[in-house]
Each structure stands twice: as structure tokens, then as C-alpha cells.
Amino acid sequence: MQFVLLQALFLPLLLSPVAYYLGRKSGPTVATWFTFGLLAYCTVLVITPALSGSYEEHYKWTQLFGEFGLLLDGLASPFAIIIYVISTVLVLFSKPYMVSRITTMFEERISEKHLVGGSTEVIESSSLKEHLNHQIGAYYALFLVMAMGMLGTILATNLIEFYVFFELMLIPAFFMLAIWGYESRRRVALLFLFWTHVGAVILLLGFLSIGLSVGSFNYADIKAHGIPPHVLGLAAVAIIVGLAVKMAAFVVHMWLPHVYRASPTPLNALSSGAMLGVGAYGFFRLIIMLMPGQYEHLALALNIWGLITMIYGGVMALVQDDIRKLFAYSSISQMGYIMFGIGTVSVLGLSGSEMMFVSHSLGKVILFMMVGAIILQVKTRSLTKMGGLAGKMPITAVCAMIGALTLMGVPPTSGFMAEWTMFYGALQTAIQQGSMIRMATFGLGLVATVITMAYILWMIKRVFFGKLPENLENTKEANWYVTGPMMVLAGFSVVIGIYPDIFFNQIIPFMKGLVGV
Amino acid sequence: MAILPFDLGLGLGALRAWGIWILPFVAALIIPAVAKASKRATGWVAVAFALASAVSALTLLPAALGNHEIHNQISWISSIGIKAGVLADPLAVIMSNVVAWISFLIFVYSTGYMKGDKDLTRFFFWMAFFLGSMQLIVLSDNFLQLFFGWEGVGLASYALVGFWYKDKKKDHVGVEGRHVLGLMDYYSPTHSGMKAFIMTKVGDVMMLAGMFLIFAFAGTFGFRELTANTSWATAMAAQHLLIPAAVLLFGGAIGKSAQFPLNEWLLEAMTGPTAVSALIHAATMVKAGVFLVARLAPLFFALAAIGINMDQFFEIIAWVGAITALLLATQGMVHPEIKKVLAYSTGSQIGYMMMAIGVAGLSKQFVDGYTAGFFHLISHAMFKASLFMAAGSILHIVGSRFMTDMGGLRKYMKKTYAFMWAAGLGLMGAPFITTGFWSKDAIFGAIYESGNTWALPLFAIAVITAVITAFYTTRMIGLVFFGNKSKHVEELEKEGHHIHEASASMWIPYGILAVLTIAVGVMGLAFEHQIHDLFVNYLGTTFGIKSDVGTVATESQPILGGFLQGVNPIALTASLSAFAIGFVLGYIFYIGRFADPVKFVNSNIFFYAIHKFFLNRWYLNALIYWGFVVAPLYVARGLYKYFENFVLEGFNVIPEKTMAGGARIMQATQTGVSQSYLYIFGVGILIVVFLLLI
């Protein structure tokens, strides 16, 4: 087994022009299945070494930055596996959604031209096809690069490597948003780039201060030498702020609702299910592992910050009418859960927090697919205009319900396994430290789960139950490209919920080593 | 741990114990597949698997009655060392038989009740899931696994209460247009499902916290492990965390069993099909809370042996039960919807069970109260399932949920009439011939004899509640079956719908249970002694709780010969008079119709006010809505509008505007006119020269 991870990482990048070419030449179906096949192969490449425990590859890089390593340990493998699995299934979901989106945009443009009346050119049906093929090819090329960027961040063993991939995933996201987004997409795309880039630059500041003072950017070296105390505080704050922007923690979350409102649904799903989680991963790898001392100082603050984020996001989600904004705030809230778990300083708390990422990805991607399916079928995003769809879209309704249960943390979905371990960890630390503040955050955290339940059940009620509006009488079930992936993820969530050892067997021993129990 | 002789080698006993809860889940899984072939077959699949599960439970009964227990574990979350397992001890096996057989009858009833519904697949899927989850609660050997079942019944109730998800008018509960404190007292099925799920979740969250507290000290979720080594309790008691943990666990039971203050979901849960109501009220869901308390009470009571006082915990249980019993019984007197009356009565009767177990923990003779509570659970399961199914038949045929739309039905539905009387007498506690009488009497006796400081007030509440219970049951039967036909029924007949008896698949199940209520009732005292003896053994061997068996017989004087041996005379008198007063009052107003209840209530401002207070649910529901739904949403909207979209949006707008403004200024300088560039260039040189000169 050599070059396995290297392949998994760079094949999507190298073959992205092929995806574009295939799309342009043979249309959406071929491009979809090519991209799907490629990512599925890469997913297998990631899963295989993960089965046999820790695995790493090292390659020579520049003198200045250190070596180019790829590491798949108990921390990285759940993230890596979920990110690629999510990316793979979203390829299928993208097809009907993007075809519809590109067609609509094309038609809008034509009708605009007609309205203006300036152009007399005859638009033939072939030109739509050409346009579609061209755009879908570009879409899949960007998609592959984004997937690769996310995986690279997870596998990196070096600060500069981390940073490069961290920035790399923003570029395709920016273009996808700017090209296929909804109202005021260009403005929002800039907003997105601005925020995440500022976050990344702050992160880089932290990285440089560490790397230059230690003399190496490799994680291993930094860990071995230790970070000199005079840069420690600055570096920790810079890294935490940088990652918090990525995770959209309270106060620095302002980019997220706008971006989610405007971006095409597959990008929402990819971003919520995978990209936000990269921020969470950064906390584990960069804060807890590289600066354990600082972590112990700041853990309580992170715990509280997470708590505020989860409650605030949940409360905001309660009052949304745009279904996508509802899920935007829900994502913020769920990232709050993860941050809450990161602040627990206990084996099960940290494990639960990582499991929360897994579970949130599964649940939220299912729900975003539901949103996509509804937008495709119903052509509205306003919750007040929906209702009674359960009878019309039964498969979507059932899968969405499983997704909802996953987010609410109801057994037998993976959400419960994540939540109970995480909250238990919080309580354990509270008891050990005899801290009333931690006891209170634990209690309020449980209250937040009730808020989560309220906004999700209310959303489900407004979408699927009640009276069917007359104009939706002819709604049909979404097609297999949408329902198939949803069912796979829903099944996966239940399997993990009943048998969590699939991931716990890797996560828990790792966290034990990390916290030093 | 005794192993039965025929289990040696095969482990058959354990397999059957697993089967009890797995079989219904299997049914749930295959029902969607069966539906492809035939929709009607889904019902029979559910019934068949329910029967298999019940038979499997029944085969465990002989061993359980001999105080044998089956405890079987398999590895589950190995990374934390948590095991899954079944624990079929006498408590679990008896409970699981009650659940299984009553559910089986309800399933049979459902095949008739739901005939012609479009969504049979979904219905039977959730019914089977409901049963499986309940059996999982009963047979789990640890908290974590129990919690799976716990949330499973919550989920199933959510799905089934909101089963008619299209929210048609006829499926609502409450009176349209009625307002309490400015809020509508009229709820749609999906709203009610959500309410049930969220309100019980509040309890579940408390239970989780309690579970975690114990796990943090004990390192195990297992019930038997917790009993075997009680050092966790000592450690927790030292940090004053034991009572809070126990009370938090009880919080879970408060939510599931609809006890005060989380009782309000139970009434709206009446939006579900009646078969579901029967299942929720008799066999699953609300009984889960009582079962949990029955599981935990001996565990905590046994801690007295190592010097830990749990009185506060048991006092809370007893008082919550007492308050709920009275609170809900009073409301049962005034509500016009038949299912709601039955729902109120369920909550109230569950309150009795809680009271009994709570009092058990406060008295020296733990087993008396414990037996009484559990006996009442069994007898309530029988008569309440019967009443609900009978009420369902009536609703089905009359097509209205209001008792004012019924009346005079006794001539047309003779079987239902008879069975409803039999089961209704059970609920009222009609002396000597019904299970309800004996179990309620046992509770009275246990409270009276507990010798606790709270015994008298609790006893008074229990007796008053019994009077009210007898009254509202008589009222219900009177309104439905006696008097003249209502306008609604007359209209139905004009349209050509004749009121007729329910079909056999419907009346047989509730007939069986009604007959059982009387049959078991006739030998009620013997039945009670049997359970009592079993529990004396069980509590002694498993928890080391010693019971003074001799005293029961010697202390109380044998009256009426040997027939009433062991019955406390004061409790007996109280329960006899409670029945008599309630029944006579009910008879005067609703059966004999010697006085008009409406005129009576309006005759006097005091009665009017109290009637309104009860009808408005003691304002509890409205206050909960104001405090936890309306006000928070109002705050959230304000926060969204003024904080999120104004203050925090500044983070987006300010940099944007600054940059745009900066760009505009820069743009303005790029005039493209060479004179102005030269002019500025010149000024710049002047400034530099000036600076150099200084």
C-alpha cells in the first residue's frame, strides 16, 4: 500500500479537467457518473487504510516548509471518510438539481433578453444543450477540486500544507456560489470569500508565528519541541479565531446565513456537511494536540462559546421562514454542539464531539437533499407556502424524518450516540472539577437539545403535514438521483446509531491517548 | 441467578426474552414489504407478530412466578465497555405479559377499526414499532438500552398521535373557537403529536441527566450491577448528588406518564386513532413511566440498608402522584369529549400508581405499596384498554367525539353497553367484583398503614379522587347510553345511517378485557396475595429488602369471616363510601336525570366559577403555552429583527460600505485629466520641499 492517500487526494484534482471535458462532450449523465465513479474509488482508497488503524505517507517537499505528509489516524479517519462519502453521494444529487438550475438560469436570461428586446438572435434548443453541457462540466470540475481541498486539510501533517488546502477549498466554493447561486449571488460570493479569507489569514498569522519560532512547520516537530511561551498565547488566539470563523461560531457567523440563502443546494449540503467540520477538525489537530496547555486554559471558554452558539443558532432557526436560512441557523447551532464538546476536556466528550460531526453531516446532508428535492418539485423556499407534502413525497418525507431524528439526537440514529457521549463527557468534567459553571453549561446544553427538537419538528410539520396548498396538488416524488442517496445516508445513520463501534473503535482509543487517561 | 433446567445448553429462555421485543421490530421492518403484496395483510402480520411476542412472554411466566430470573448479555459498545442485555425478572416478565397481551387485543381491534384507511402500512408499522419499543423498555437490563425504547415510544406516539397528518377538522380535539387566556383550546393532530414529543422530551432530558450522574459514579448503566455494588451511592450521597439524580430520573417518568407538571400532552394525544389511544393509555407509553419507577424504587429503597436516606425522593413521587390524581380527575368531570374524559382518568389513575410506589418507599413495609401500585397498573391496563376500545367503537359509529352528540345508545349497542359498564365499574372501583376495587383498596391500605407524616393528607386526596372518579365514570356512561337520542344521532338516522353494534373484530377484544376485569375482580384478593407473595420473594432475593410477612394477617382484624383477610378496615370503608357517593351523585344527574347538571352549575356563582376553572384545565395548559411557546417566540423574533439583522449585520455592512466608500474616493482621484494630475504633483513637490526646509 503506497501512494494510496496521495491518489485519493490528487486524483480528483488531476482528473477534474476530464470531468469538464466529458460534461461538455457527452452531457450531464456521463459527467455525473464519471465524477461519481472517481470519488467512489477515492473513498474506497481512504476507507481501506483506515480499517487497519493508523496509516501515514510521507513525501519530500520544500526545504522551507518541511515534508508533505498524509496522515490517517483515529482522529482524521472519521472526518476523511465522512467527507468523501458525503461528496460522493452529493455527486448524484447534484445532477437533477444542477440541470434544473442551469436550465432555469438560461431561460431567465433569454426571457430577459426578450423583455429588453435588444437582441434578435434566434436561440435554438441546441444552444441550451450546449450551454448545459458546458456548465455541468465546469460544475463537476469545481466539485472535485473542493472535495480534494477538504480531504487535504484533514490529512495534512504540516501547518503550511493545512493552510494551502484550507484556502484551496474556498475557491471552487466561491465560483459555484457566484455562478449558480440565487439572488444577489455575486455580492454574497464576495462576502463569503471576504469572511473566510480573513479567517484564513488570521489562521496563517498563527501558523507563521508558530512555525518561525519553532523552526519547523511539521506537526510532529512542533509537538516534539514545544511552542515557545511568548508566541503561544497569540498563536492560540489567532488559530481559534480563524477556525471559529470557518465554523461560523456566534458573532463570527454572519457570513453563513447569507451564503446558505444564496447558494445552490448541493453546495449548501457540501458546505454544511463537510466544510464547516473542517473547522472543528482544526480545533482537535491544532489546538488540542499542538498546544494542550493552552487548550486546558481555554477549554471552559470554548465550552461556553459553543453553548451560546448552539442556543443562539437554535433560537434563530425557530423564526425563519426561508427553509434554507432555517438550516443555515441550524448548522450554526450544530457547530455550537461540536464546539461545546471540544470544550469538555474528557475522553467521551471529545469523542462525542467528533461523532457529532459524523452525525451532523449525515443528518444535515439528508435534510439539505430534502430541501433540494422540495425546491425542485415545489419551486418555493418559503415554509408558509408548503404543507401536506408527506402524501405526495413519501420517500423524501421518511428520509427527512430520519435526518431530523439524527439532528435531534433521538435513538436509534447516530445523533443519539454523539449526543449522549458528548453530554456525558461534559458532566464528567463538571463533577471531576467540581465546577458549578460546567454543571450549568451541561444543563443548558441539554435545554438546547429541546430547542433543536422544537425548530426541527416545527419545520417538518410545516413542510410535510397539514393541508396541502392547492397549487401543489400535482407535486411528484423526487427522482432516484435524490431519493437514492438520501436512503443510503439515512440507513447509515441508523446503523451507526445502533452499532457506534464503527467509528468509536477508532475515535475513543485516540481520544484516550490525547487526553491522557 | 437461577437458570431454568430446560435452558441448560440451549439458552432458550434468553432467546425467548430477546424475542419478546425483537419480534415486533421484525414485524415493523417487514410490514412495508408485505404492503407491496397486500395492504390488508399488513394488519394480520402485525397481529401475528404481536401474538408471537405475547406467547414468547407467556412461556417465561411460570419461571418468573417462581422468582427465577433470566439475565443475558451481549457485547455492544465495546470501546466503552457497555453491554446490551435482557433482564427477565418477575417484575419485567409480568409487565411484559400485560403489555403483550393487551397490545395483541388492541392490534386485533385495530384491524377492524382502521378498515378502509389509506395508510394502513404506516399505521401498523408504527403500532409494531410502539410495541417493540415498550417491550424493549421492559426487558432492558441497563439504562442506555432502556433509553432506546424510551425514545422509541416517544417517536411512535409522535407518529401515531399525528397519524391523520392532513389535519382535517374532524380529527382535531377541543372545541373550535374556545379560548383560554387568549389562546385557542383547539388542536390539530400534527400539533398534538409535536406537543407530545417535545413535552415528553423535557422529561427525557432530565432522565438523561440522571442517568449520566449515576454512570459518572458507578461506571455502569446496568441495573443488576448497580444493585450488586452500591459504593456509587455512598459516593454520590457524600456529594449530595444522589437525591438530585434520582429525582431527575423520575423526571423522565413524569414526562412519559403525563404527571404534573408535564401532564398536558396527554389530552391532545387524543387526536390519534382510538386504537392508538388505547395502546398509549393501557399498555405502552404512560405505563413506561410507572414501570421505570417500579424498576428504580427498590434499587433506591434498598440503599436504606447502607444508611442512605431516600425519603425525599419517595416523598416527591408520592406528592407528584397525588397532585396529578386530583388535578386530572377534577377536569375529567367537566369535559364534553369522551376520549378526553378517559385520558384525564388515565393520568389520574397513573397518579394513584405513583402515589402507591412513593408511599411504599416511605413505609417500613415496602412491599405493600409496591404491590398495590403494580396491581393497580395491571387492573388499570385491562379496564382502560377496554373502555378506550369501546369508546372508539362508539365514535366510529356516531361520527363525533362529543358525548353531547351521543345519548340513548344503550338500545342500539347492547354489547358495547354491557362491556362499558363492566370496565367502567372497574374504573370506579365497584366493590368486591372488580379488579379496580381491590387494587385501589390496596393503595388506600398502603397509604393508610405507611405511618408516614404525609399519610393522612395523601389518604384524603386519594379518597376524594376516588369519589370524583366514580362520579365522572357514571357521568360518561350516563351521557352516552342513557337519556334521549341527541340531535346529532337523530340527524344521522334521518340520513339513513342506523346506529348499530360494532363488528366482531372490534367488540371481541374489549369484551374479553371487560369480562376479565370482572373475572379477576371476583378473585381479586387472592390474585393480590399471589403478587404480594411473589414480590416479597423477589424484593428479598434481588434487593435484600426484607418484608415482615406475618404482620399483614395478624394486625388487621378479619372481618366478614376469612374473605377479607388482610384488608385494612378503614381503607375498605373509605373506598366503599367513595364509590357510593360518586356513583349516587352521577346517577342523580346523568342516569336517573333527576336534576339538570347545566342548571345546577349555573345556579350558583361558586359552582360556575369552579366548573369554568376545571374546564379551562386549571389554566395550566394556557400558562405553559404562554411561558414556553408564545413568549419565547416573541423574544426570538425580536432578537432576529433587531440583534441579528441589525447589530450583527453591521459586520457585513460596515466593511462593505467602507471599502465601497474608499473605492469611490480613490475613483474620484483618478480623474483622467492631466492638468489635475500636474496640479497635485506640483502641490506634492511643494510640500516635500517645505518639509525639507524645516
Side-chain angles (χ1 to χ4, degrees):
Chain A
M1 292 224 295
Q2 238 185 339
F3 307 121
V4 175
L5 292 181
L6 200 66
Q7 275 188 61
L9 185 57
F10 284 108
L11 273 183
L13 180 68
L14 292 176
L15 294 181
S16 60
V18 180
Y20 173 68
Y21 177 76
L22 278 175
R24 197 165 172 179
K25 195 145 184 270
S26 323
T29 314
V30 177
T32 306
W33 287 102
F34 169 75
T35 316
F36 176 78
L38 175 61
L39 278 176
Y41 171 69
C42 294
T43 309
V44 173
L45 287 186
V46 173
I47 292 176
T48 325
L51 291 177
S52 53
S54 189
Y55 171 81
E56 47 195 310
E57 288 172 11
H58 295 281
Y59 304 97
K60 275 217 168 80
W61 204 18
T62 61
Q63 197 69 49
L64 186 60
F65 297 148
E67 60 173 10
F68 189 92
L70 299 169
L71 169 71
L72 198 63
D73 56 5
L75 172 65
S77 64
F79 278 98
I81 291 171
I82 286 295
I83 284 176
Y84 259 30
V85 166
I86 297 286
S87 305
T88 312
V89 288
L90 278 176
V91 171
L92 293 184
F93 168 70
S94 296
K95 190 205 155 201
Y97 191 90
M98 290 316 292
V99 167
S100 153
R101 177 75 194 134
I102 293 166
T103 314
T104 320
M105 288 178 80
F106 186 75
E107 279 160 2
E108 268 168 17
R109 234 173 41 211
I110 289 172
S111 66
E112 262 168 38
K113 270 185 191 161
H114 276 295
L115 280 179
V116 175
S119 159
T120 51
E121 62 183 306
V122 181
I123 291 131
E124 294 166 22
S125 62
S126 70
S127 98
L128 166 64
K129 205 179 155 206
E130 213 167 85
H131 178 76
L132 177 65
N133 289 354
H134 170 79
Q135 293 235 318
I136 204 95
Y139 172 80
Y140 279 124
L142 289 171
F143 191 97
L144 284 171
V145 176
M146 190 166 165
M148 172 262 188
M150 292 187 291
L151 187 73
T153 325
I154 303 297
L155 298 181
T157 63
N158 175 310
L159 291 176
I160 297 298
E161 198 187 339
F162 183 97
Y163 177 76
V164 168
F165 286 114
F166 196 78
E167 287 277 46
L168 190 64
M169 73 178 119
L170 298 181
I171 297 160
F174 169 78
F175 282 112
M176 279 150 97
L177 175 52
I179 300 174
W180 297 290
Y182 291 79
E183 301 93 78
S184 63
R185 54 177 175 270
R186 299 227 166 78
R187 177 175 172 262
V188 175
L190 268 175
L191 188 82
F192 169 66
L193 194 73
F194 173 77
W195 268 100
T196 44
H197 191 67
V198 166
V201 168
I202 297 174
L203 193 68
L204 183 64
L205 207 72
F207 285 177
L208 289 177
S209 63
I210 292 175
L212 295 177
S213 61
V214 175
S216 165
F217 286 96
N218 292 338
Y219 296 159
D221 297 339
I222 297 170
K223 230 181 151 189
H225 294 287
I227 303 166
H230 63 278
V231 294
L232 199 56
L234 173 78
V237 170
I239 291 175
I240 287 176
V241 171
L243 293 172
V245 172
K246 186 80 178 179
M247 267 176 95
F250 176 63
V251 180
V252 285
H253 67 274
M254 286 313 297
W255 58 274
L256 194 134
H258 293 281
V259 170
Y260 277 39
R261 180 189 54 72
S263 38
T265 311
L267 178 63
N268 278 340
L270 200 59
S271 145
S272 179
M275 199 174 85
L276 296 183
V278 171
Y281 172 81
F283 272 103
F284 284 104
R285 187 65 85 194
L286 305 174
I287 301 293
I288 305 180
M289 287 188 73
L290 293 188
M291 25 185 115
Q294 282 312 94
Y295 166 63
E296 267 170 31
H297 278 298
L298 295 169
L300 183 60
L302 288 176
N303 194 252
I304 293 171
W305 196 2
L307 178 73
I308 294 172
T309 307
M310 69 206 242
I311 292 179
Y312 185 79
V315 169
M316 290 296 110
L318 267 176
V319 294
Q320 301 303 320
D321 182 56
D322 183 333
I323 189 165
R324 272 212 286 240
K325 271 191 115 170
L326 187 146
F327 283 117
Y329 284 107
S330 154
S331 296
I332 292 172
S333 168
Q334 295 285 314
M335 287 304 123
Y337 276 76
I338 296 181
M339 203 181 219
F340 177 90
I342 288 170
T344 55
V345 213
S346 80
V347 174
L348 282 186
L350 292 173
S351 309
S353 175
E354 186 169 357
M355 198 64 165
M356 194 73 209
F357 162 78
V358 171
S359 147
H360 167 252
S361 294
L362 295 174
K364 195 51 74 58
V365 171
I366 294 173
L367 287 170
F368 267 120
M369 286 194 205
M370 171 207 89
V371 172
I374 286 171
I375 292 175
L376 279 183
Q377 305 296 323
V378 179
K379 315 272 184 231
T380 178
R381 280 149 38 195
S382 165
L383 282 166
T384 43
K385 291 183 189 147
M386 300 176 199
L389 289 173
K392 299 286 173 189
M393 308 173 78
I395 303 177
T396 310
V398 169
C399 293
M401 197 62 222
I402 296 177
L405 294 175
T406 309
L407 284 201
M408 294 189 287
V410 173
T413 60
S414 57
F416 176 65
M417 279 301 157
E419 276 184 22
W420 90 257
T421 41
M422 191 176 92
F423 284 115
Y424 172 69
L427 178 71
Q428 206 180 18
T429 310
I431 293 172
Q432 268 166 15
Q433 301 183 347
S435 155
M436 283 318 285
I437 300 177
R438 279 194 179 271
M439 210 57 129
T441 59
F442 162 75
L444 288 171
L446 285 176
V447 171
T449 65
V450 179
I451 298 176
T452 305
M453 187 154 180
Y455 76 72
I456 289 187
L457 287 180
W458 196 20
M459 178 279 298
I460 292 269
K461 173 174 149 59
R462 285 181 289 174
V463 174
F464 288 113
F465 304 146
K467 209 166 165 278
L468 189 73
E470 272 172 27
N471 59 331
L472 303 183
E473 209 55 66
N474 297 321
T475 313
K476 287 193 188 67
E477 180 60 275
N479 76 20
W480 283 100
Y481 279 104
V482 179
T483 53
M486 273 173 109
M487 287 193 279
V488 170
L489 294 184
F492 199 27
S493 167
V494 173
V495 169
I496 297 174
I498 293 171
Y499 190 70
D501 271 359
I502 300 173
F503 285 115
F504 272 165
N505 270 343
Q506 300 208 304
I507 298 174
I508 290 180
F510 181 84
M511 294 299 172
K512 274 185 183 157
L514 197 58
V515 181
V517 178
Chain B
M1 313 282 145
I3 299 172
L4 297 177
F6 50 86
D7 287 334
L8 288 171
L10 277 173
L12 248 180
L15 208 61
R16 276 174 292 156
W18 285 99
I20 296 171
W21 68 266
I22 291 178
L23 283 169
F25 282 121
V26 173
L29 283 179
I30 64 173
I31 278 172
V34 170
K36 294 254 186 263
S38 149
K39 277 219 164 163
R40 281 199 56 203
T42 51
W44 295 113
V45 170
V47 169
F49 274 85
L51 180 65
S53 159
V55 167
S56 161
L58 190 65
T59 57
L60 294 177
L61 196 59
L65 292 178
N67 195 20
H68 294 291
E69 89 173 22
I70 296 166
H71 188 189
N72 184 268
Q73 288 183 312
I74 56 165
S75 136
W76 183 21
I77 312 178
S78 58
S79 33
I80 326 176
I82 291 175
K83 286 181 175 164
V86 285
L87 175 62
D89 58 358
L91 176 72
V93 173
I94 296 176
M95 182 73 189
S96 114
N97 271 289
V98 173
V99 172
W101 288 102
I102 286 178
S103 303
F104 165 67
L105 291 173
I106 294 172
F107 278 35
V108 173
Y109 173 84
S110 309
T111 57
Y113 187 80
M114 298 301 288
K115 195 177 264 174
D117 197 284
K118 271 198 302 186
D119 289 321
L120 279 183
T121 319
R122 185 158 53 94
F123 180 80
F124 282 110
F125 171 86
W126 283 113
M127 289 294 265
F129 187 91
F130 213 152
L131 176 57
S133 302
M134 184 63 196
Q135 295 288 27
L136 178 58
I137 293 177
V138 174
L139 290 159
S140 288
D141 80 328
N142 65 71
F143 278 120
L144 196 66
Q145 192 187 339
L146 181 143
F147 199 77
F148 269 64
W150 197 257
E151 292 286 88
V153 293
L155 179 59
S157 70
Y158 164 74
L160 285 169
V161 168
F163 179 75
W164 285 310
Y165 66 89
K166 285 176 185 160
D167 288 351
K168 290 180 186 144
K169 244 180 198 169
K170 70 177 175 66
D171 302 327
H172 283 51
V173 294
V175 183
E176 198 177 358
R178 224 184 93 78
H179 285 75
V180 179
L181 294 185
L183 297 173
M184 262 218 286
D185 194 24
Y186 180 66
Y187 300 95
S188 70
T190 52
H191 180 104
S192 310
M194 206 165 93
K195 183 176 177 184
F197 206 8
I198 294 178
M199 268 190 125
T200 54
K201 174 80 175 180
V202 173
D204 297 351
V205 158
M206 293 202 269
M207 182 174 160
L208 266 184
M211 269 165 60
F212 291 166
L213 274 171
I214 289 183
F215 187 65
F217 284 88
T220 174
F221 285 119
F223 299 127
R224 286 294 170 265
E225 289 84 344
L226 290 175
T227 316
N229 178 358
T230 49
S231 56
W232 56 274
T234 324
M236 284 179 86
Q239 293 202 30
H240 303 291
L241 283 172
L242 185 58
I243 304 251
V247 173
L248 282 168
L249 282 171
F250 178 56
I254 290 181
K256 276 279 136 60
S257 290
Q259 298 294 289
F260 176 79
L262 296 176
N263 52 357
E264 293 298 343
W265 66 265
L266 191 68
L267 295 315
E268 271 67 52
M270 290 300 109
T271 50
T274 312
V276 174
S277 313
L279 198 64
I280 290 181
H281 287 250
T284 58
M285 192 81 179
V286 295
K287 293 292 164 67
V290 184
F291 179 78
L292 180 75
V293 176
R295 244 294 166 249
L296 296 176
L299 186 73
F300 287 125
F301 185 77
L303 296 178
I306 54 168
I308 298 172
N309 186 343
M310 294 295 287
D311 279 0
Q312 277 168 308
F313 169 63
F314 287 108
E315 271 165 16
I316 289 175
I317 297 183
W319 273 107
V320 166
I323 292 169
T324 315
L326 187 66
L327 176 78
L328 295 183
T330 53
Q331 300 176 44
M333 289 194 294
V334 296
H335 271 269
E337 290 160 75
I338 183 167
K339 279 173 79 181
K340 261 188 159 179
V341 171
L342 289 174
Y344 280 117
S345 112
T346 302
S348 164
Q349 298 297 309
I350 302 268
Y352 270 130
M353 300 171 207
M354 293 292 184
M355 229 195 291
I357 299 179
V359 161
L362 296 172
S363 57
K364 292 206 177 63
Q365 191 72 323
F366 181 79
V367 70
D368 286 356
Y370 193 70
T371 310
F374 201 71
F375 183 30
H376 197 55
L377 187 151
I378 298 173
S379 64
H380 177 258
M382 291 192 291
F383 62 67
K384 190 48 69 62
S386 179
L387 281 172
F388 258 115
M389 290 193 273
S393 297
I394 298 167
L395 289 180
H396 203 68
I397 282 153
V398 176
S400 165
R401 61 181 186 273
F402 292 100
M403 289 190 287
T404 43
D405 288 343
M406 300 167 187
L409 295 180
R410 67 180 188 280
K411 290 172 208 141
Y412 307 96
M413 303 178 75
K414 286 192 177 127
K415 292 190 192 101
T416 307
Y417 172 62
F419 295 142
M420 203 136 181
W421 258 126
L425 284 174
L427 174 58
M428 289 187 253
F432 308 126
I433 53 157
T434 58
T435 50
F437 171 76
W438 296 113
S439 54
K440 204 175 280 182
D441 190 68
I443 294 177
F444 286 6
I447 298 173
Y448 190 80
E449 286 171 4
S450 69
N452 185 267
T453 37
W454 297 115
L456 271 180
L458 286 171
F459 187 71
I461 292 179
V463 175
I464 293 169
T465 307
V467 175
I468 299 173
T469 310
F471 174 76
Y472 69 64
T473 315
T474 318
R475 169 180 177 262
M476 179 184 78
I477 291 176
L479 280 176
V480 174
F481 291 107
F482 289 86
N484 299 324
K485 278 184 272 187
S486 64
K487 273 184 200 153
H488 177 79
V489 173
E490 278 173 1
E491 269 168 33
L492 275 181
E493 288 187 335
K494 259 185 216 157
E495 286 166 22
H497 299 285
H498 281 282
I499 305 292
H500 55 86
E501 187 54 82
S503 66
S505 63
M506 284 162 79
W507 69 258
I508 291 176
Y510 59 81
I512 293 176
L513 288 172
V515 170
L516 268 180
T517 305
I518 305 292
V520 178
V522 171
M523 29 176 222
L525 206 53
F527 189 76
E528 190 196 333
H529 287 322
Q530 187 93 49
I531 307 181
H532 192 275
D533 291 346
L534 175 61
F535 279 160
V536 168
N537 259 329
Y538 165 64
L539 294 171
T541 51
T542 313
F543 300 96
I545 298 174
K546 289 202 186 74
S547 311
D548 202 354
V549 186
T551 53
V552 183
T554 49
E555 261 182 22
S556 47
Q557 293 84 26
I559 43 170
L560 294 177
F563 175 58
L564 287 173
Q565 196 182 19
V567 174
N568 183 301
I570 293 176
L572 183 69
T573 321
S575 74
L576 284 175
S577 25
F579 169 75
I581 299 170
F583 178 72
V584 167
L585 281 176
Y587 190 87
I588 291 172
F589 284 116
Y590 297 101
I591 296 183
R593 312 232 170 178
F594 303 121
D596 186 357
V598 181
K599 268 189 202 151
F600 181 75
V601 165
N602 289 334
S603 67
N604 175 321
I605 181 78
F606 176 70
F607 287 132
Y608 177 79
I610 219 164
H611 180 264
K612 192 171 175 195
F613 182 65
F614 290 161
L615 198 60
N616 287 345
R617 307 161 78 164
W618 293 43
Y619 296 98
L620 195 63
N621 188 53
L623 288 176
I624 288 177
Y625 268 87
W626 274 112
F628 294 96
V629 181
V630 181
L633 271 180
Y634 185 76
V635 172
R637 292 219 166 85
L639 210 58
Y640 180 59
K641 199 166 166 194
Y642 298 108
F643 184 67
E644 173 81 4
N645 272 350
F646 185 75
V647 177
L648 288 186
E649 186 64 16
F651 282 111
N652 287 337
V653 177
I654 291 169
E656 195 185 345
K657 290 276 188 269
T658 328
M659 275 193 268
R664 223 169 284 131
I665 293 167
M666 291 305 283
Q667 241 171 12
T669 60
Q670 320 277 309
T671 55
V673 182
S674 36
Q675 282 93 330
S676 58
Y677 288 148
L678 276 173
Y679 177 68
I680 290 175
F681 184 62
V683 172
I685 286 182
L686 279 177
I687 290 174
V688 170
V689 170
F690 188 67
L691 285 176
L692 283 175
L693 286 177
I694 288 172

